[in-house]
Amino acid sequence: MNKYELIAPCHFGLESVLKREVYDLGYDIAAVEDGKVTFEGDEEAICRANINLRTAERILIKVGQFNAYTFTELFDKTKDLPWEKYIPVNGKFWVTKANSVNSKLFSPSDIQSIVKKAIVERLKSVYGVSWFKEDGDSYPIRVNIMKDRVTIGLDTSGDSLHKRGYRPVSGKAPISETLAASLIMLTPWKGDRILIDPFCGSGTFPIEAAMIAANIAPGMNRNFTAQKWTNFINKELWYDAVEEAEDLINTDIETDIQGYDIDGNVIRIAKENAANAGVDKLIHFQERGVKDLSHHKKYGFIITNPPYGERLEDKDTLPSIYTDFGRQFAKLDSWSAYMITSYEDAVKYFGRKADKNRKIYNGMLKTYFYTFQGPKPPKK
């Protein structure tokens, strides 16, 4: 098999979680940078990474990296890359996204156009044709320019990896599946511990936690663009990766994972999503407001995404929501709470200083992940 440098983008601030996931899959890390982890692997790694990584947004094959200060340099150096290794003569290829930060080349549309033309010229000379039908399988390309350093990658995933396939309908202001999994994995929670999300919405936190507990790979119920790249990735590798993931699933486990929401309609949606993910038997969903948050056991975890006040008409309700949350949490002796929010007065109304907080970007929205640490349970 061939060796590739594979780029896995992730949420800014959560690179350490993805790095640990890649190590656990058995691959060597080449670099950890803001918002991405680069690692080394073969064709099998492409399949296994897409199916198994919970916190990556997509998997890119790094085709090339170089400095470019002019469009002429961008064209020439892109043309020098071995595109024929990846794109067949009938392949459909385009630059699906280009972004530039602190670089002389800053127009996304111009970058997309120049890179596309350069690839066409390269493949014209290699394949000896003057025109491409592009009626074959898709080979989407992504370009990132950071401080004049160009990285060009072939997107093996297609739809972002947060699209697990279990959530066709979302509740209001959902948190993405990859972000939810990352935040859960930042905490000390394990599948045999209690977990409650009192603002569960469409159920993302409880569902991702249940999938982690049952060792269900996140990408088992969806397709990937690279599944059709039979010119250099054998289809058997995809079958083998899915079979490996299936062998590791264990739903015969005892869990105490609960999701509450004051809106009965979103609880119904959450139950449907959990069933789609195959974890409905591992989660208890209930229509319940945060005022009624309680549990009779000790040493539990709350991991949640309370309302931010995205809409102006919701802002007036936030103080009472966070006050009720903090009051009920104070009654949960020995529990730990973790919440992600962009609400600036969250801690003030929660009524307790956070033990830690971590800045995390949820898309373009700056949020904070607050930790309210409880005591460790006694050793058994």
Side-chain angles (χ1 to χ4, degrees):
M1 292 197 195
N2 296 302
K3 286 289 181 183
Y4 305 94
E5 275 195 278
L6 303 175
I7 303 170
C10 64
H11 284 274
F12 282 92
L14 294 169
E15 298 84 1
S16 61
V17 184
L18 176 55
K19 178 183 175 182
R20 188 168 72 242
E21 269 205 290
V22 173
Y23 270 136
D24 288 346
L25 267 186
Y27 300 111
D28 292 329
I29 305 290
V32 178
E33 301 162 272
D34 287 346
K36 66 180 179 182
V37 173
T38 303
F39 61 102
E40 298 171 352
D42 53 17
E43 292 87 352
E44 181 185 65
I46 294 169
C47 306
R48 295 182 70 234
N50 272 296
I51 289 167
N52 290 284
L53 291 179
R54 300 181 190 279
T55 63
E57 293 299 311
R58 61 185 66 251
I59 304 298
L60 307 172
I61 298 173
K62 185 197 283 186
V63 181
Q65 193 170 58
F66 51 82
N67 290 334
Y69 305 95
T70 66
F71 283 120
T72 300
E73 281 186 299
L74 178 65
F75 180 91
D76 291 340
K77 291 180 179 180
T78 300
K79 185 181 174 184
D80 286 340
L81 298 175
W83 291 101
E84 63 278 5
K85 281 177 57 178
Y86 310 101
I87 303 174
V89 68
N90 67 336
K92 179 183 178 182
F93 57 97
W94 72 103
V95 180
T96 182
K97 187 173 183 179
N99 65 313
S100 175
V101 179
N102 296 332
S103 301
K104 291 182 174 59
L105 304 178
F106 56 83
S107 165
S109 59
D110 288 338
I111 293 166
Q112 288 172 296
S113 176
I114 294 293
V115 169
K116 167 80 177 190
K117 287 177 182 176
I119 299 170
V120 167
E121 290 305 311
R122 168 78 183 202
L123 295 181
K124 273 184 182 180
S125 63
V126 171
Y127 292 129
V129 297
S130 58
W131 186 72
F132 293 95
K133 289 184 178 180
E134 296 197 53
D135 57 358
D137 296 319
S138 297
Y139 294 79
I141 295 152
R142 290 184 167 239
V143 181
N144 174 265
I145 308 180
M146 173 68 75
K147 296 180 180 177
D148 302 310
R149 186 72 172 164
V150 181
T151 304
I152 305 183
L154 200 59
D155 182 7
T156 71
S157 303
D159 285 337
S160 170
L161 295 181
H162 82 266
K163 295 186 177 181
R164 317 289 208 211
Y166 66 71
R167 193 171 71 171
V169 180
S170 298
K172 185 173 63 177
I175 191 167
S176 79
E177 293 83 341
T178 47
L179 180 54
S182 299
L183 297 178
I184 293 167
M185 293 165 72
L186 264 183
T187 76
W189 178 82
K190 302 295 179 189
D192 60 348
R193 303 282 297 276
I194 304 161
L195 187 150
I196 293 178
D197 179 358
F199 305 97
C200 74
S202 55
T204 310
F205 270 126
I207 292 170
E208 289 295 319
M211 291 176 69
I212 291 168
N215 212 15
I216 298 174
M220 289 185 61
N221 296 314
R222 55 158 287 169
N223 294 317
F224 307 97
T225 298
Q227 283 176 278
K228 295 185 176 180
W229 296 354
T230 52
N231 56 315
F232 71 99
I233 303 177
N234 192 317
K235 266 195 178 298
E236 292 295 324
L237 295 175
W238 292 100
Y239 300 140
D240 291 345
V242 170
E243 188 176 335
E244 176 195 35
E246 285 175 341
D247 289 343
L248 296 172
I249 294 174
N250 180 15
T251 53
D252 296 325
I253 52 174
E254 293 292 327
T255 58
D256 191 346
I257 300 172
Q258 301 181 32
Y260 307 150
D261 201 283
I262 200 167
D263 187 337
N265 288 327
V266 299
I267 287 293
R268 177 182 54 78
I269 292 169
K271 288 179 178 179
E272 291 174 3
N273 292 341
N276 292 338
V279 294
D280 47 319
K281 294 177 181 177
L282 302 178
I283 308 170
H284 173 68
F285 287 109
Q286 187 177 350
E287 183 180 342
R288 183 193 288 197
V290 72
K291 284 184 178 180
D292 300 316
L293 172 64
S294 64
H295 202 288
H296 65 282
K297 292 182 181 178
K298 290 190 172 188
Y299 305 110
F301 286 76
I302 294 170
I303 305 177
T304 192
N305 174 37
Y308 296 173
E310 302 87 355
R311 301 183 305 180
L312 286 175
E313 60 267 31
D314 293 337
K315 287 189 180 297
D316 292 342
T317 67
L318 293 182
S320 62
I321 289 173
Y322 283 84
T323 298
D324 289 339
F325 181 21
R327 185 181 298 123
Q328 295 308 111
F329 174 67
K331 298 175 184 178
L332 290 167
D333 180 35
S334 73
W335 280 52
S336 298
Y338 301 83
M339 70 172 170
I340 181 171
T341 181
S342 67
Y343 181 44
E344 293 180 358
D345 292 328
V347 172
K348 170 185 170 184
Y349 289 109
F350 190 75
R352 172 176 161 177
K353 185 179 178 181
D355 296 299
K356 295 179 187 174
N357 77 71
R358 179 188 289 245
K359 187 194 300 181
I360 292 168
Y361 281 88
N362 185 4
M364 297 303 293
L365 183 66
K366 184 172 71 174
T367 65
Y368 290 92
F369 189 51
Y370 294 102
T371 297
F372 304 93
Q373 194 73 52
K376 292 182 180 179
K379 291 184 178 179
K380 296 179 182 177

